[in-house]
Amino acid sequence: MNQELPKAYDPALIEEKWANYWVSEHLFDVPTPPSNNVQKKTFVQLLPPPNVTGRLHMGHMLNQTEMDILTRWHRMLGETALWVPGTDHAGIATQMMVERQLAAEGTTTREQLGREAFTERVWAWKRQYGSAISDQMRRLGASVDWSREYFTLYDRLSVAVKEAFVRLHEQGLIYRGAYIVNWDPVLQTAVSDLEVTHEERAGKLFHVRYPLADGTGSIIIATTRPETLLGDVAVAVNPNDERYKHLIGKMLLLPLSAAAGKPDREIPIVADDFADPEFGTGAVKVTPAHDPNDFAIGQRHNLPQLNVLDERAHITLDGSPYDGMDRFAARERILIDLESSGALVAVKDHTHSIAISQRTGIVIEPRLSMQWFLKIQPLADKAIEAVDKGHIKFTPDNYRKTYDEWMKNIHDWCISRQLWWGHRIPAWHCGACSAVTVARETPAACSQCGATELTQETDVLDTWFSSGLLPFTVFGWPGQAKTGSSKLETGSSTPDLATSQSSHNAPFLSFRSAAEDSAFSAATNAHAPTPALAAFYPTDLLVTGSDILFFWVARMIMLGCHFMLDVPMPDGSPRTLADAVPFRNVYIHALVRDADRQKMSKTKGNVVDPIEIVQKYGTDAVRFTLASQASPGTDIAFSEARTQGNRAFANKIWNAARFLQMQIERGREAGYAVSAFLSVIPAGDLLSSALPPLSTPTLPATTPLETRWIFSRLSAVSAEVERALTDYRFDEAASAVYQFFWGEFCDWYLELVKLRLDFTIEKNNVTALTLNALVAVFEAALRLLSPFMPFLTEELWHALYASVGTEAPTKSIALTRFPQLGDFPADPASVAALEVLQELIVTVRGLRKDLGVPEKEAAPVQIFASNRISALADANADMLARMARVSAVELVGQALTGNNARATSNFEIAILYERQIDVPAERERLEKDLAKFDKGLAAAERQLSNEGFVAKAPPHIIEGLKKQYAETTTLKEKALAALATLPPR
RNA sequence: GGGCGGUUAGCUCAGUUGGUUAGAGCGCCUGCUUUACACGCAGGAUGUCGGGGGUUCAAAUCCCUCACCGCCCACCA
């Protein structure tokens, strides 16, 4: 049982074991409590679903580290901590990936396969490779509830998506129409505004002459996209533009139409405020089918829409020489033709922003097409209110403003995509009357004319539409749907995904299924919350990056507020906006950049693969590094050097455990019992029980100073970590535990404890007490570290119980209680005393170094100090001996001067050691000190002689300054005296 | 065009109700096999807190301004 730990910490030896253990033991699976019995506080988070095609990157790892720290922490506070994982079907990305695969195989194409076969092919891909990212998560020990893992295209979620769409349609919030959308000519689908980025590019502004039809003159327009000229239906000028006022209403001859062998097309000059007299020539050509502004002008002036570009952005114009040409080739050709006809009068340099498709990097072509839209304003209004009223809080707070700005300038959302992979829109077109029927189930007949020639809409929904519903759909919304159409998970324990043609369900997990099944069938009222919804909605926190604030966060808020307002509270009362929100808090974290603060990108080749780093340094070290760099406001420059440092920290913890193991072993051999303190540590199994009540143990009177001190510190640090995590200050929390464990527990406590753990002498109380205290502090420190370093602490915690010879109270340290203020007694007097002793020790060490006392040599010291400090030094001479190799302490009643003495504000101390003085070095040191003192004194004098300061500064500041002044004066005198003893230069 | 963030030690970063001598990790220098740990121990050096101006008894911290870096939003042909 009591296996000795290897000398050096090797994460590879322990991590996989525990990662598997946590999953196979279902430690983090959370059963849905019955809705009438929700007693424990919950802490619920939804994992931002990574794309199913994804591989884990540093951003994921940061996100998951933060979520995991919080989840583990809340779990250790005795709450029901539920973290729901899942993946997103990611329409475009996944379809592209499989299409690329097909292209690589070269045997068939998407089009040749056809819709059904192609989507089956994507499903096959998903089954084979789709769990890669979840597997990576498992390996990193994310304490999620795997029994609730979802995939956005599973039947249960698809039913919910369909339901949401139909309801929105019934509410009149979804409409279909021909509008200008952002068109990606490569993907040949519409994309939303958010999927478009803008790039400043150097381009040209072409001035083109359009002659008046009556031959009395011409107008020169300015354009950046001459290829759309063929679709012009008007030229607009500002109604107040004196240059053109008299021409309004006249007709122009569109250049180049003759080139197509047709008579010149005539287009009118219209007056519109959009035309800016200051820009270009003040006259703008109007192409409603290919520009959003022109589209609006066209609407205002009732102009026709002339489409001259197809879905590949090739010119489509029968009989035209440009027909079939790519848009950019057409541009060149048209420019040549315009020039040769003399219509091109000027070409000016013009940098302007170009719309780029985020996914393909191709220039977006605004295109008139038939799409489905969600009327967003009613949803946005609620979403704005929810944040305004504080129902949702953003951290950092400034994102509230960003959110607000966006939400207040929101446009209707184009939710249709011309893809095959995704949730197909539940609408059917009538072959007879061409009416559209929206329904939950395939309708038998057209809702308008009753004809039966119906074909389903081919478009699918934007991926973000379904992910925007997740906060409630993952918990079973809408429950028993009106038409009872949903295919619920059944009790079948052997799902055969491979043979499933039409149904795609989550793998069965016995842990949850029974409860959830009864939950669904119990929900007879269509609007009643499912038990999971009742127990877990709203979620508590969403942790995510700013890059999906609008894509996802904002949409979840809108859709959550919209749909959940209709779902009553568990007690049957109506739900208010405050409880309709999908989450109560949003924490936006930083972006992870490389060590040089460059954005990580594949093209730059500076992408740090978390799995590689993890293999090199261990998950815990990488987690700790990310946590310690995660301060709000700035991006994280991922530092491998820091990771190395944190692996050293892990090794330090490991070796502290080894030290304990040795002490326990020796203690046992000397007949000491270890366990007394363990028994007072509240460590019940938090999975099944609530947090045990607080009970601060009382220490025996014989408890040594350093134990009182470390207990006190542990208590204080626990509180500090709790505060930091409450504020999402992962950096402060990490730094607090680091400093505590290394700087206090290892550097001081372990060294001081060696003084007490002498097993060669007769058995005694102090040794017994110390041995048990040591175990207790270390055990608590492991619990403190556990949310940050789950693997290491799990291993060492079990090893500790093994060496003590007691069975661990729970299956995992993750199920024990997080250390709390008050778990250990606070003792300010002991803390103050130990701080003085530390100062004494550090001063002696420094002095020894200055004086060149050999490391191993012990030397006597003289101390001149107050009675209190003298007594302390006297009583703890053994500490001084051990920590600073002081052979004897002599308390003296007079000031100490000389080059072997040092003064601090608390005491003066001298080492009695004969040595050759390095006069120049000593002089340099003293002069440097003097300069520092003088500077300090001058500053203090300046302030103290300032009437305003004395009159206005708070008393404690003035007192402090005076005290400091007096102390510095003394120190200066000492230095001067010491300087005087040196031989003259 | 609008909005936001950053600029502190060689590097990466902490440091907001303004307050006594600005911190950490890494790196650097010196010395150490000491009841776990050289992934270690002990000691040490290092800052015009981006520039300028202002408010204040007092500014890294508040205000103005300039410079540089970065991000987000926006339908100017």
Side-chain angles (χ1 to χ4, degrees), chain A residues 92 179-193 195-196 311 357 359 364-373 413-419 459-463:
Chain A
I92 294 176
Y179 294 91
I180 291 277
V181 293
N182 301 299
W183 188 265
D184 182 319
V186 170
L187 295 170
Q188 297 176 32
T189 177
V191 294
S192 76
D193 291 348
E195 290 162 292
V196 174
E311 61 278 0
S357 170
R359 191 54 70 176
I364 287 288
E365 194 62 42
R367 183 165 186 267
L368 185 68
S369 65
M370 194 58 94
Q371 303 289 344
W372 294 83
F373 295 87
W413 175 12
C414 174
I415 51 174
S416 48
R417 295 290 181 277
Q418 288 65 52
L419 302 172
D459 289 358
V460 299
L461 287 164
D462 181 3
T463 296

Side-chain angles (χ1 to χ4, degrees), chain A residues 3-165:
Chain A
Q3 281 187 336
E4 209 172 300
L5 297 167
K7 184 170 176 180
Y9 162 63
D10 182 357
L13 296 178
I14 63 166
E15 291 190 350
E16 206 154 352
K17 172 180 75 178
W18 292 117
N20 292 336
Y21 176 78
W22 294 330
V23 174
S24 65
E25 294 288 313
H26 298 284
L27 283 191
F28 308 127
D29 292 357
V30 177
T32 301
S35 50
N36 59 355
N37 183 23
V38 186
Q39 358 114 300
K40 280 176 82 179
K41 202 177 164 209
T42 55
F43 179 74
V44 184
Q45 294 180 104
L46 182 64
L47 176 82
N51 285 0
V52 67
T53 56
R55 310 289 299 184
L56 206 78
H57 61 240
M58 271 300 173
H60 292 129
M61 187 155 178
L62 170 68
N63 181 260
Q64 291 173 19
T65 296
E66 291 176 341
M67 293 186 81
D68 196 43
I69 287 171
L70 292 174
T71 304
R72 284 174 183 271
W73 174 54
H74 279 275
R75 189 182 291 116
M76 290 177 79
L77 291 177
E79 297 170 22
T80 297
L82 171 61
W83 180 11
V84 182
T87 41
D88 192 286
H89 68 277
I92 294 176
T94 313
Q95 176 163 329
M96 275 173 78
M97 160 146 320
V98 175
E99 276 191 85
R100 268 204 299 270
Q101 206 179 44
L102 291 177
E105 290 166 9
T107 48
T108 180
T109 65
R110 173 166 72 98
E111 288 77 9
Q112 284 164 0
L113 279 176
R115 183 168 193 139
E116 194 130 326
F118 178 77
T119 48
E120 240 352 279
R121 171 81 194 228
V122 183
W123 272 112
W125 181 93
K126 192 265 168 195
R127 272 176 231 120
Q128 192 169 357
Y129 304 106
S131 64
I133 198 154
S134 306
D135 291 342
Q136 289 179 319
M137 264 187 93
R138 264 180 270 268
R139 171 60 187 79
L140 296 184
S143 66
V144 302
D145 181 344
W146 288 110
S147 77
R148 293 179 188 272
E149 184 181 13
Y150 62 85
F151 177 58
T152 49
L153 273 185
Y154 281 157
D155 284 356
R156 190 164 65 76
L157 290 184
S158 296
V159 166
V161 168
K162 203 185 290 176
E163 179 67 25
F165 182 93

Side-chain angles (χ1 to χ4, degrees), chain A residues 47-51 55-68 83 133 136-137 140 543-548 587-594 598-601 606-611 613 622-623 626-627 630 635-638:
Chain A
L47 176 82
N51 285 0
R55 310 289 299 184
L56 206 78
H57 61 240
M58 271 300 173
H60 292 129
M61 187 155 178
L62 170 68
N63 181 260
Q64 291 173 19
T65 296
E66 291 176 341
M67 293 186 81
D68 196 43
W83 180 11
I133 198 154
Q136 289 179 319
M137 264 187 93
L140 296 184
V543 179
T544 190
S546 56
D547 49 343
I548 53 174
Y587 173 69
I588 307 275
H589 64 232
L591 254 52
V592 185
R593 297 165 171 277
D594 76 0
Q598 297 294 305
K599 214 170 189 167
M600 291 188 189
S601 77
N606 61 345
V607 177
V608 179
D609 179 358
I611 299 296
I613 294 286
V622 184
R623 284 171 62 109
L626 290 170
D635 287 344
I636 293 176
F638 181 76

Side-chain angles (χ1 to χ4, degrees), chain A residues 569-880:
Chain A
M569 297 297 285
D571 64 5
S573 63
R575 190 177 291 262
T576 63
L577 192 57
D579 294 309
V581 296
F583 29 73
R584 304 198 185 280
N585 292 285
V586 179
Y587 173 69
I588 307 275
H589 64 232
L591 254 52
V592 185
R593 297 165 171 277
D594 76 0
D596 302 319
R597 300 194 53 77
Q598 297 294 305
K599 214 170 189 167
M600 291 188 189
S601 77
K602 280 179 194 160
T603 44
K604 276 188 215 155
N606 61 345
V607 177
V608 179
D609 179 358
I611 299 296
E612 265 173 44
I613 294 286
V614 157
Q615 277 164 357
K616 209 162 157 192
Y617 301 104
T619 309
D620 288 330
V622 184
R623 284 171 62 109
F624 203 85
T625 304
L626 290 170
S628 66
Q629 290 196 272
S631 65
T634 37
D635 287 344
I636 293 176
F638 181 76
S639 155
E640 202 167 326
R642 273 180 94 135
T643 313
Q644 232 165 59
N646 288 323
R647 183 187 52 183
F649 180 47
N651 186 57
K652 188 79 180 172
I653 301 167
W654 184 266
N655 276 287
R658 290 182 62 230
F659 175 74
L660 260 88
Q661 216 170 40
M662 290 176 196
Q663 301 307 320
I664 292 167
E665 195 52 39
R666 286 182 199 172
R668 198 197 322 277
E669 281 165 13
Y672 287 95
V674 185
S675 72
F677 261 100
L678 281 179
S679 67
V680 307
I681 304 307
D685 188 335
L686 293 178
L687 194 64
S688 50
S689 63
L691 195 68
L694 197 80
S695 61
T696 308
T698 312
L699 300 181
T702 48
T703 308
L705 180 62
E706 72 280 355
T707 288
R708 295 174 180 275
W709 167 76
I710 198 73
F711 278 1
S712 216
R713 291 297 308 143
L714 179 63
S715 204
V717 171
S718 304
E720 165 62 13
V721 172
E722 176 152 351
R723 186 211 56 77
L725 288 181
T726 303
D727 295 343
Y728 311 113
R729 289 305 303 261
F730 300 97
D731 58 328
E732 289 179 353
S735 137
V737 296
Y738 184 98
Q739 172 52 34
F740 171 74
F741 195 88
W742 200 322
E744 299 191 290
F745 179 74
C746 289
D747 287 351
W748 289 97
Y749 189 63
L750 289 189
E751 293 307 316
L752 289 173
V753 128
K754 288 174 183 172
L755 208 56
R756 316 286 178 214
L757 297 177
D758 186 347
F759 298 110
T760 61
I761 60 172
E762 199 180 333
K763 239 177 105 175
N764 64 85
N765 271 343
V766 169
T767 303
L769 201 61
T770 299
L771 187 58
N772 282 284
L774 174 64
V775 171
V777 177
F778 184 69
E779 194 271 349
L782 288 178
R783 284 184 281 123
L784 191 66
L785 282 159
S786 173
F788 304 90
M789 301 188 138
F791 292 99
L792 177 65
T793 51
E794 185 80 282
E795 174 78 14
L796 296 181
W797 188 77
H798 287 282
L800 180 67
Y801 276 93
S803 37
V804 168
T806 317
E807 199 186 334
T810 72
K811 278 182 172 176
S812 163
I813 190 172
L815 303 181
T816 63
R817 162 199 176 105
F818 196 72
Q820 306 272 289
L821 187 69
D823 277 359
F824 292 90
D827 186 345
S830 297
V831 171
L834 201 100
E835 278 170 4
V836 170
L837 289 167
Q838 285 177 323
E839 192 183 3
L840 272 165
I841 290 161
V842 168
T843 309
V844 172
R845 282 172 179 168
L847 191 49
R848 288 174 59 104
K849 192 92 168 178
D850 283 349
L851 296 177
V853 183
E855 293 274 338
K856 286 190 157 177
E857 199 164 317
V861 300
Q862 291 181 325
I863 296 173
F864 170 59
S866 67
N867 287 338
R868 186 178 70 85
I869 291 175
S870 296
L872 201 57
D874 200 35
N876 293 286
D878 53 351
M879 276 192 197
L880 297 183

Side-chain angles (χ1 to χ4, degrees), chain A residues 377-433:
Chain A
Q377 202 58 54
L379 281 76
D381 288 344
K382 285 266 181 305
I384 291 167
E385 188 188 341
V387 172
D388 269 4
K389 292 208 170 143
H391 302 323
I392 298 173
K393 289 192 182 63
F394 283 92
T395 306
D397 183 58
N398 53 307
Y399 282 106
R400 187 164 46 94
K401 199 175 165 187
T402 311
Y403 167 87
D404 222 48
E405 298 264 317
W406 186 77
M407 207 53 111
K408 284 180 174 153
N409 296 301
I410 199 163
H411 293 84
D412 282 355
W413 175 12
C414 174
I415 51 174
S416 48
R417 295 290 181 277
Q418 288 65 52
L419 302 172
W420 287 353
W421 178 243
H423 298 101
R424 198 158 167 185
I425 291 178
W428 286 262
H429 301 275
C430 177
C433 73

